[in-house]
């Protein structure tokens, strides 16, 4: 006898296929601040897509540190298009046309290509859906505006800044160490000013920038934002004319392709003498710089060449575990031949203050290869657990606050743009423009400070996560290494701490600290 089983109707089934939706995000630089902004966008779109019952989440595609004017260099966008071609996506959401493309030709080309594949795009800011458009006229107009948006804003902002350079009303929003802003004016911080005077005095006495930095770090003198002193920081202070009370504006400039350049006379510069109270005299400033330039000439360094401490992969990367000083490169001459070694700078100056003796360059390189090969061989045991521990550390409430601050900053920029347009057209009195513009600049500074504080808490973990992803990607595809490479070392190692002549610690950019023995 036949057995019949009734299968109940699925009353939840509507017969309607869900739309597979992906999002595209982009930020223009790879800084910690922009990295957090990118993470904000990713969190927003993931929640937004999953909250729609008719949509199926198809992923987030993103680019960081890439300009919107160069489509061929945006791997995330190209990957999105490739998945659309493979039929994995039905709809794409992006913040605005300018985030998607700032080139009219590229924008229309991509939109047409996706429309041919049956994929529509929603531009949130412009409230535009390519699936409901009867013609390309509106998109062409909007993308044309987006293409010119950066140029227009940039030129107007440059005009505004130059005007403030010329009339001496420009506010230095981020004063150097030794000063702080008070009602738009640079005011001396007495404790920090004493450190500045000490740095110049040390330079005049013949001390090198590395030695000055090491001395300040040993005494636990906090640098700007509580960081560590470096040779480059000291060199930057000695070269900074602001400590004389003067201010030289437009040391750098942005070209028509939005690339930043050092100004070697390509653009006008503006020197404002007596801009603020001086910490050191012009005479001390000029003598200290003359001493530094002479030291540079003796070592074959010029202002426009690679800095001395970056000539070798290990330079400024090796720290003494006993006294905390930097290691310096030395060549030991022996009857059997010469050998490259690295030695603690304090031990070189006075062996009684640090007992750490030199270590050979070849042995450090061999230890690095051993460490990397261990990671290649045991990545699942070492790197994967660290990756899992870093997941989910992002604080959504902080992201929401950062989003709120970014919106306020965007509004601030729009208000300044309106002011610039009004004064440029002659509708606003220049004196009133300066007053309103400076007030908006102060508000923007407060908003940026609040945003930076939030980024400080979450940016570290995110940066380490990104570095860890890069390392995992490398070791998962790499064969065992047989030869040392400076570029590889600099890509993954933050510093080396020497514990003894037999053991050191590699501190990786992803946060891992791995001990290795120095084998003879």
């Amino acid at each position: 006898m036949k057995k019949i089983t009734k299968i109940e109707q699925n009353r939840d089934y509507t017969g309607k296929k869900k739309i597979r939706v992906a999002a595209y995000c982009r930020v223009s630089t790879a800084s910690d601040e922009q990295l957090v902004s990118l993470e904000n966008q990713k969190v927003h779109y993931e929640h937004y897509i999953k909250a729609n019952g008719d949509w199926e989440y198809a992923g987030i595609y993103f680019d960081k540190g890439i300009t919107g004017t160069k489509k061929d260099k945006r791997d995330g966008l190209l990957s999105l298009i490739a998945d659309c071609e493979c039929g994995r996506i039905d709809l794409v959401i992006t913040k605005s046309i300018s985030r998607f493309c700032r080139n009219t030709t590229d924008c229309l080309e991509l939109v047409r290509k996706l429309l041919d594949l049956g994929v529509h795009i929603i531009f949130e800011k412009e409230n535009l859906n390519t699936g409901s458009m009867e013609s390309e006229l509106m998109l062409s107009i909007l993308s044309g505006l987006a293409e010119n948006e950066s140029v227009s804003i940039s030129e107007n902002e440059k005009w505004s800044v130059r005007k403030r350079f010329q009339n001496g009303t420009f506010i230095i929003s981020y004063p150097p160490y030794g000063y702080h802003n008070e009602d738009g004016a640079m005011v001396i911080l007495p404790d920090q000013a004493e450190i500045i005077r000490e740095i110049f005095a040390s330079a005049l006495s013949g001390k090198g920038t590395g030695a000055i930095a090491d001395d300040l770090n040993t005494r636990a003198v906090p640098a700007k934002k509580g960081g560590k002193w470096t040779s480059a920081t000291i060199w930057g202070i000695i070269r900074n004319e602001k400590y004389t009370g003067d201010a030289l504006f437009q040391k750098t400039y942005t070209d028509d392709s939005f690339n930043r350049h050092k100004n070697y006379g390509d653009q006008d510069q503006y020197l404002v003498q007596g801009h603020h109270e001086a910490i050191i005299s012009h005479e001390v400033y000029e003598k200290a710089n003359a001493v530094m330039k002479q030291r540079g000439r003796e070592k074959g360094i010029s202002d426009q060449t690679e800095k001395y401490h970056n000539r070798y992969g290990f330079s400024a990367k090796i720290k003494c575990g006993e006294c905390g000083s930097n290691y310096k490169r030395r060549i030991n001459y022996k009857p059997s031949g010469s050998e490259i070694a690295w030695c603690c700078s304090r031990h070189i100056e006075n062996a009684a203050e640090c007992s750490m003796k030199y270590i050979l360059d070849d042995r450090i390189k061999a230890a690095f290869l051993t460490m990397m090969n261990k990671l290649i061989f045991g990545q699942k045991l070492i790197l994967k657990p660290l990756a899992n521990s870093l997941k989910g550390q992002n604080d959504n409430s902080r992201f929401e606050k950062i989003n709120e601050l970014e919106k306020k900053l965007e509004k601030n920029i729009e208000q300044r743009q309106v002011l610039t347009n009004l004064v440029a057209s002659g509708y606003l009195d220049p004196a009133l423009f300066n007053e309103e513009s400076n007030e908006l600049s102060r508000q923007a500074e407060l908003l940026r400070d609040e945003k930076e504080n939030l980024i400080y808490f979450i940016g570290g973990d995110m940066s380490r996560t990104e570095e860890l992803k890069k390392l995992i990607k490398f070791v998962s595809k790499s064969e065992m290494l047989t030869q040392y490479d400076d570029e590889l070392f600099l890509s993954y190692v933050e510093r080396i701490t020497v514990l003894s002549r037999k053991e050191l610690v590699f501190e990786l950019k992803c946060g891992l600290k791995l001990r290795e023995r120095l084998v003879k």
Side-chain angles (χ1 to χ4, degrees):
M1 183 176 177
K2 294 180 180 179
K3 183 179 179 181
I4 299 173
T5 303
K6 180 181 178 181
I7 301 174
E8 293 290 339
Q9 174 188 358
N10 183 357
R11 301 186 183 277
D12 294 329
Y13 176 68
T14 62
K16 184 178 179 181
K17 184 181 177 182
K18 287 191 174 185
I19 300 171
R20 295 164 298 179
V21 183
Y24 174 72
C25 316
R26 179 180 65 81
V27 291
S28 54
T29 71
S31 66
D32 280 350
E33 180 177 346
Q34 291 284 280
L35 197 64
V36 172
S37 176
L38 176 61
E39 197 65 25
N40 266 330
Q41 294 180 54
K42 289 160 67 177
V43 169
H44 162 71
Y45 282 122
E46 184 174 352
H47 291 168
Y48 179 61
I49 294 170
K50 289 181 177 180
N52 192 318
D54 295 329
W55 289 354
E56 179 184 330
Y57 178 69
I60 303 287
Y61 298 78
F62 58 90
D63 287 302
K64 55 179 179 287
I66 301 294
T67 173
T69 59
K70 301 173 183 177
K71 177 193 69 174
D72 56 337
K73 293 186 178 181
R74 294 160 67 184
D75 294 336
L77 181 61
L78 297 177
S79 178
L80 169 68
I81 294 167
D83 283 349
C84 289
E85 289 174 335
C86 293
R88 301 188 183 114
I89 298 168
D90 303 312
L91 177 66
V92 175
I93 300 178
T94 191
K95 184 176 181 180
S96 67
I97 293 173
S98 63
R99 290 290 91 187
F100 192 65
C101 249
R102 282 200 177 127
N103 180 294
T104 306
T105 304
D106 284 349
C107 186
L108 291 174
E109 178 189 331
L110 290 175
V111 168
R112 288 169 185 160
K113 184 172 187 175
L114 294 181
L115 283 174
D116 288 341
L117 296 170
V119 178
H120 302 150
I121 307 173
I122 293 177
F123 298 103
E124 285 191 302
K125 183 178 178 180
E126 293 82 5
N127 193 26
L128 188 65
N129 186 336
T130 61
S132 60
M133 294 173 61
E134 295 179 357
S135 73
E136 294 179 337
L137 177 60
M138 184 56 69
L139 179 62
S140 180
I141 293 171
L142 290 172
S143 57
L145 290 173
E147 180 179 357
N148 293 316
E149 179 184 12
S150 291
V151 176
S152 175
I153 291 174
S154 176
E155 289 304 316
N156 283 325
E157 188 66 24
K158 286 177 186 175
W159 180 89
S160 170
V161 169
R162 286 194 196 103
K163 279 291 182 185
R164 281 178 277 163
F165 285 163
Q166 291 168 6
N167 59 31
T169 60
F170 182 80
I171 294 177
I172 298 172
S173 60
Y174 193 68
Y177 183 89
Y179 291 98
H180 76 288
N181 258 337
E182 194 172 292
D183 296 326
M186 280 174 56
V187 178
I188 290 177
L189 293 169
D191 292 344
Q192 292 185 6
E194 283 304 312
I195 300 299
I196 294 298
R197 295 186 187 101
E198 180 185 326
I199 289 171
F200 276 89
S202 297
L204 287 172
S205 71
K207 243 183 179 181
T209 55
I212 296 172
D214 288 341
D215 180 54
L216 292 171
N217 287 328
T218 302
R219 288 157 46 199
V221 175
K224 200 167 181 69
K225 289 194 172 182
K228 291 286 185 182
W229 295 93
T230 66
S231 177
T233 305
I234 301 299
W235 181 232
I237 285 174
I238 293 171
R239 286 171 57 99
N240 196 336
E241 83 293 336
K242 291 183 180 65
Y243 295 113
T244 67
D246 298 341
L248 180 63
F249 295 125
Q250 199 150 282
K251 293 178 182 177
T252 62
Y253 68 94
T254 304
D255 63 21
D256 294 337
S257 300
F258 306 102
N259 295 315
R260 199 79 177 158
H261 300 280
K262 192 168 183 178
N263 189 358
Y264 291 112
D266 309 283
Q267 301 283 334
D268 292 337
Q269 291 186 319
Y270 303 86
L271 176 64
V272 181
Q273 295 177 313
H275 180 271
H276 51 272
E277 188 179 353
I279 292 178
I280 53 103
S281 68
H282 286 87
E283 184 183 7
V284 169
Y285 172 80
E286 288 166 6
K287 285 183 178 179
N289 274 271
V291 170
M292 288 294 107
K293 285 179 181 178
Q294 179 58 33
R295 287 176 64 89
R297 283 192 289 270
E298 291 170 1
K299 294 179 178 179
I301 311 167
S302 69
D303 289 348
Q304 298 182 40
T305 59
E306 195 171 325
K307 291 185 179 179
Y308 175 73
H309 65 260
N310 286 331
R311 290 194 296 175
Y312 310 101
F314 293 148
S315 296
K317 291 285 186 179
I318 307 177
K319 297 285 184 182
C320 177
E322 181 177 327
C323 70
S325 300
N326 277 338
Y327 267 55
K328 291 185 177 179
R329 189 177 185 270
R330 289 288 182 267
I331 298 178
N332 295 337
Y333 295 97
K334 295 184 176 182
S336 57
S338 62
E339 58 185 10
I340 299 172
W342 293 84
C343 189
C344 171
S345 56
R346 178 153 296 180
H347 178 84
I348 294 172
E349 293 173 3
N350 188 347
E353 292 185 4
C354 181
S355 64
M356 199 74 79
K357 296 181 180 179
Y358 72 85
I359 53 177
L360 294 177
D361 183 84
D362 288 342
R363 293 179 186 173
I364 304 174
K365 291 175 178 177
F368 171 72
L369 287 177
T370 301
M371 183 267 296
M372 289 298 292
N373 283 330
K374 285 180 180 178
L375 292 177
I376 292 170
F377 180 77
Q379 55 176 292
K380 291 183 180 178
L381 295 175
I382 302 171
L383 298 181
K384 293 297 174 65
L386 177 60
N388 291 332
S389 70
L390 288 176
K391 284 181 181 177
Q393 288 191 13
N394 297 333
D395 188 336
N396 284 341
S397 65
R398 287 180 182 149
F399 281 137
E400 290 173 5
K401 182 61 177 176
I402 291 172
N403 264 329
E404 182 184 330
L405 292 171
E406 285 180 342
K407 289 176 182 176
K408 289 181 179 179
L409 281 167
E410 285 179 6
K411 186 176 180 181
N412 183 282
I413 291 170
E414 290 172 1
Q415 289 173 326
R416 280 188 284 171
Q417 180 66 22
V418 169
L419 283 176
T420 302
N421 290 338
L422 287 173
V423 75
S425 303
Y427 295 122
L428 186 65
D429 181 70
L432 181 58
F433 165 77
N434 288 331
E435 182 183 341
E436 294 294 332
S437 181
N438 289 340
E439 176 58 31
L440 286 171
S441 295
R442 281 192 288 270
Q443 291 175 10
E445 185 181 355
L446 292 173
L447 291 170
R448 280 192 292 268
D449 286 344
E450 188 176 355
K451 181 180 170 183
E452 283 178 9
N453 286 335
L454 288 169
I455 289 171
Y456 176 80
F457 287 108
I458 61 178
D461 284 335
M462 290 177 59
S463 296
R464 285 192 290 272
T465 301
E466 289 297 312
E467 292 294 341
L468 182 59
K469 287 178 182 176
K470 281 170 50 181
L471 181 57
I472 290 175
K473 184 177 180 180
F474 172 77
V475 299
S476 62
K477 295 181 179 179
S478 179
E479 301 292 333
M480 289 293 182
L481 304 176
T482 57
Q483 189 172 357
Y484 171 82
D485 178 59
D486 264 346
E487 187 176 343
L488 183 66
F489 171 80
L490 292 171
S491 295
Y492 300 111
V493 179
E494 184 67 36
R495 70 174 55 85
I496 297 172
T497 301
V498 180
L499 303 180
S500 68
R501 298 190 79 187
K502 295 182 179 179
E503 191 175 34
L504 45 76
V505 176
F506 288 97
E507 299 179 35
L508 306 188
K509 292 181 179 180
C510 64
L512 271 180
K513 293 184 180 181
L514 302 173
R515 291 194 179 208
E516 282 298 332
R517 293 188 65 79
L518 292 167
V519 181
K520 292 184 179 180

